[in-house]
Amino acid sequence: GDVYKRQVHGVLDIFLANDFFKCSKRSLKLWSKIIDWLVTMDKGDLFSEMLNKVSSFSFIFSRDSETKQKIKNFERVCFMIYSGERDKYQGKLRILLEKMSEVIKNAENSPPALVILIMFCIRILILRLSSTTLAELFRNIWPMLLALLITIFNKKNTSKNPNLILSALKLIELISIVGLEEFYLHQWVFVFDYFGLGLEYCNQKDKIQSTTTSVTSSAKSKNSKTYHSPFTFQPYITNSIPEDFVLNYVNKQREVQEQYGKRPRAIIMTQTNVIDEVEIKNKALSLCQYLISNNEFRSEADPLQVESLIEGDFISLDDYIFDICLLYTS
């Protein structure tokens, strides 16, 4: 009756408030249950209604209230997906994918804040979709996502937005541990997918001498048998690591995994944002080294850690999405 309607309107008013995500992780966890109840009990279609409020993503990014509201509405869409049980929004994936595709296909001209939100949404979908549904989603979205990630890590990319790169690193780390076929076929494009090597510090003088020696040796052996380095192609993530690190073989005894079951692997990209290019380069270096060290093992992520990280990102979005991202040009 009237009491139920007042409860629904009261919850909805709080959910639509601009400061909804300014709370603790514990509060956010409790609110996820309330919002899931609200969506379940709603006689209409709150998810589609909220997604339609975003309308088209192809708008000019500014500080005006209308644009901010569209960004916040998409954050709420992400939170509804996060709050629901697995595959709850399977039937809404088509329209959601259409909205996200608008940004992904036009990533170079899209505001970094929007691209960050899209990659954040994909991380939530990875957590909230069953393996079958997720595999189907990636078959549709992967070609666009592949192009997006290459664009972000491309050396020619002049955006220099460290938080955009951080979002891409967080997405790649999560995808690398989930076991999606589309990523396995292309992971060599982004990360080193073999072991027995490491990234080592090398000052610029040594790099110049090494290059000179290599060129001289090549000229001397022009008519003889030549050997090509297996590291001719460098994964795209290496474009974001410090320039004074080079790849080399590592001659050390490796641990042999005696059992073939998956072992837990912690996620290390836990920061919600970074402040400059130096910090993100060190983060990219850490991820490269970490993934190399885990290549010879079958592993899986801890869902509780993934949930905790996503909750932290929800809370931090209001703190940096409109401020830090505007410090950099897209």
Side-chain angles (χ1 to χ4, degrees):
D2 292 338
V3 174
Y4 168 76
K5 287 181 179 179
R6 286 197 297 270
Q7 287 179 332
V8 169
H9 284 299
V11 171
L12 190 57
D13 287 342
I14 295 173
F15 187 43
L16 296 177
N18 287 333
D19 60 351
F20 175 78
F21 293 107
K22 295 187 182 302
C23 60
S24 66
K25 284 187 179 181
R26 183 174 180 274
S27 295
L28 199 68
K29 178 75 74 176
L30 294 173
W31 270 104
S32 69
K33 297 177 181 179
I34 296 172
I35 296 304
D36 188 46
W37 167 84
L38 177 66
V39 174
T40 303
M41 300 302 292
D42 182 44
K43 295 180 180 179
D45 188 348
L46 185 61
F47 183 88
S48 296
E49 181 183 336
M50 200 67 65
L51 195 57
N52 287 332
K53 284 184 178 180
V54 176
S55 65
S56 174
F57 272 138
S58 57
F59 52 79
I60 299 174
F61 190 69
S62 65
R63 281 187 174 274
D64 65 77
S65 58
E66 182 182 355
T67 300
K68 265 194 170 184
Q69 201 58 47
K70 289 180 179 180
I71 292 287
K72 287 190 174 293
N73 281 333
F74 189 64
E75 289 179 38
R76 295 182 184 105
V77 168
C78 292
F79 190 69
M80 282 189 278
I81 297 172
Y82 168 76
S83 301
E85 60 187 14
R86 184 163 289 191
D87 280 346
K88 180 167 184 172
Y89 296 98
Q90 181 180 0
K92 305 294 184 182
L93 289 179
R94 184 187 60 80
I95 185 173
L96 179 63
L97 184 57
E98 288 176 359
K99 297 288 185 182
M100 295 194 298
S101 298
E102 293 177 24
V103 177
I104 297 176
K105 289 179 179 178
N106 195 35
E108 293 187 27
N109 299 316
S110 296
L114 269 182
V115 182
I116 287 172
L117 280 176
I118 294 300
M119 289 189 285
F120 177 55
C121 184
I122 294 173
R123 285 168 54 212
I124 296 173
L125 289 170
I126 289 174
L127 183 67
R128 287 294 183 255
L129 294 180
S130 65
S131 56
T132 304
T133 307
L134 185 61
E136 180 63 28
L137 172 69
F138 261 74
R139 275 192 286 272
N140 292 320
I141 201 175
W142 179 246
M144 291 181 291
L145 187 57
L146 176 65
L148 171 63
L149 293 171
I150 289 176
T151 299
I152 292 173
F153 291 110
N154 197 320
K155 269 187 177 180
K156 297 179 181 178
N157 184 0
T158 58
S159 66
K160 303 297 182 183
N161 190 315
N163 286 288
L164 184 60
I165 296 173
L166 176 65
S167 295
L169 290 174
K170 292 171 86 166
L171 178 57
I172 285 177
E173 181 180 22
L174 185 57
I175 294 176
S176 72
I177 202 173
V178 173
L180 292 165
E181 181 180 353
E182 279 70 21
F183 182 74
Y184 276 153
L185 294 173
H186 299 93
Q187 63 181 352
W188 60 273
V189 177
F190 299 105
V191 299
F192 299 104
D193 59 347
Y194 37 91
F195 49 84
L197 52 92
L199 289 160
E200 300 176 347
Y201 175 78
C202 177
N203 62 47
Q204 291 297 318
K205 182 179 178 181
D206 291 339
K207 289 179 74 174
I208 293 172
Q209 289 178 343
S210 176
T211 303
T212 304
T213 303
S214 176
V215 171
T216 305
S217 301
S218 177
K220 287 181 179 179
S221 59
K222 205 167 187 179
N223 298 321
S224 60
K225 187 175 180 180
T226 57
Y227 297 89
H228 299 280
S229 168
F231 309 130
T232 301
F233 175 81
Q234 298 287 311
Y236 277 97
I237 284 185
T238 59
N239 291 334
S240 298
I241 69 173
E243 295 179 358
D244 48 6
F245 278 80
V246 295
L247 195 65
N248 207 346
Y249 285 111
V250 176
N251 184 18
K252 69 175 183 179
Q253 186 174 2
R254 296 191 301 272
E255 178 185 350
V256 178
Q257 187 171 358
E258 297 179 354
Q259 297 181 347
Y260 291 97
K262 292 182 179 180
R263 67 183 200 179
R265 190 182 99 187
I267 290 177
I268 64 168
M269 292 287 106
T270 58
Q271 279 186 247
T272 54
N273 62 285
V274 290
I275 58 173
D276 56 31
E277 192 174 348
V278 173
E279 187 176 5
I280 193 58
K281 282 187 174 184
N282 289 327
K283 288 293 176 184
L285 174 64
S286 298
L287 182 60
C288 279
Q289 293 171 324
Y290 186 64
L291 293 181
I292 289 173
S293 68
N294 280 278
N295 277 338
E296 49 197 306
F297 305 109
R298 299 182 71 243
S299 53
E300 60 184 355
D302 178 3
L304 294 180
Q305 187 197 14
V306 178
E307 287 199 7
S308 178
L309 292 174
I310 287 175
E311 289 163 3
D313 282 346
F314 269 121
I315 295 169
S316 70
L317 279 176
D318 286 325
D319 294 331
Y320 82 87
I321 201 75
F322 293 108
D323 297 323
I324 293 180
C325 289
L326 287 172
L327 297 176
Y328 304 88
T329 57
S330 59

